[in-house]
Amino acid sequence: VVTLVMKSNPLYSAMGLGIFVIESLKLVSYVHVNYWCRKARAAVAAGKKSDGVLAEGEYMTSSDALSLYPGTLTLSNLYYFILAPTLCYELVFPRSPRRRKTFLVKRSGELIFLTFLILALEQQWVMPLVKNSFAPFSEMNISRCVERVLKLAVPNLVIWLIFFYTLFHSALNLCAEILRFADREFYRDFWNAESIQYFWKTWNIPVHRWALRHIYMPMMRHNYSKKSAMIVVFFVSAFFHEYLVSVPLHMFRL
């Protein structure tokens, strides 16, 4: 609402709303995993077998729950998770032994350079094309509209690829190195995808893992159909993508 009313800069709005979305998903994971831990302890106390699921194919045993939980419920543990480059909470995160100074310098340099490169490409390449597209679209000149869209497709793809590398490689690896966070699988070989399904599973691993763990698998365990779970995941993802695009651009129309 503040973003829509104040008509703020779309870039800064998208960054601010992105932080809200990321931390919201993190807190959902934090609550969900600790709920499973609490169920595991209750099951052990009642002499039953724990069935709390922490991840795809990874089951939490009663001994794990008793040895780690609730000792992990500390502010330092929560703050580390909030800052860590992951959306899925773990009782204990994998940690690297040290921080590599050379690695930090490389990722910092990439982050700064590529950010300015994206801004330069938008100002020098995209904005002139957009301004030149106003007349054809207002006149509904179909041939010129198609030509302008095709011209915009090239810089759009180039900027998207640079943005992907900047965010998923440079920024997340920099954050992980600072925090000594050892799990660096932020994406897989989505460029080798032979199907849409494989592409969506590999280009954004943190979001894919969150949706799998906190939406898809719980629905499957509660006897919903695979199709129903996929539809719910799709619409949750669609909602947040629209939120991060439509609101900053002041095009929120429900």
Side-chain angles (χ1 to χ4, degrees), residues 14-175:
M15 291 173 60
L17 297 179
I19 292 173
F20 280 119
V21 170
I22 290 169
E23 299 309 329
S24 297
L25 298 182
K26 282 175 177 277
L27 290 176
V28 168
S29 181
Y30 185 78
V31 171
H32 213 170
V33 171
N34 281 298
Y35 165 72
W36 289 329
C37 294
R38 192 163 63 252
K39 281 185 62 179
R41 285 177 61 86
V44 171
K48 299 177 182 178
K49 185 178 179 182
S50 169
D51 62 349
V53 181
L54 283 186
E56 182 184 11
E58 177 190 347
Y59 288 83
M60 179 178 166
T61 63
S62 301
S63 58
D64 290 334
L66 290 173
S67 62
L68 296 174
Y69 181 88
T72 53
L73 293 175
T74 63
L75 284 176
S76 60
N77 180 275
L78 174 61
Y79 290 152
Y80 182 87
F81 172 54
I82 286 176
L83 295 172
T86 180
L87 297 176
C88 292
Y89 178 69
E90 303 285 353
L91 298 180
V92 178
F93 288 105
R95 304 291 293 274
S96 53
R98 61 184 181 85
R99 297 181 182 90
R100 297 166 291 176
K101 294 182 180 178
T102 305
F103 188 88
L104 288 171
V105 171
K106 286 181 178 179
R107 299 290 84 81
S108 299
E110 288 175 354
L111 184 60
I112 296 171
F113 172 75
L114 293 175
T115 300
F116 280 102
L117 178 61
I118 290 172
L119 294 174
L121 289 174
E122 288 178 348
Q123 292 177 351
Q124 301 298 321
W125 196 356
V126 175
M127 291 307 297
L129 287 174
V130 171
K131 290 179 180 179
N132 291 334
S133 301
F134 289 156
F137 276 95
S138 62
E139 298 168 1
M140 289 307 295
N141 187 325
I142 302 301
S143 60
R144 291 191 63 194
C145 287
V146 172
E147 182 250 349
R148 291 300 170 185
V149 169
L150 292 176
K151 277 190 174 182
L152 279 169
V154 177
N156 181 68
L157 179 61
V158 171
I159 291 173
W160 187 89
L161 290 172
I162 297 173
F163 171 78
F164 175 87
Y165 185 91
T166 304
L167 177 61
F168 284 88
H169 188 78
S170 301
L172 293 184
N173 270 294
L174 175 62
C175 180

Side-chain angles (χ1 to χ4, degrees), residues 5 182 198:
V5 171
Y198 184 81

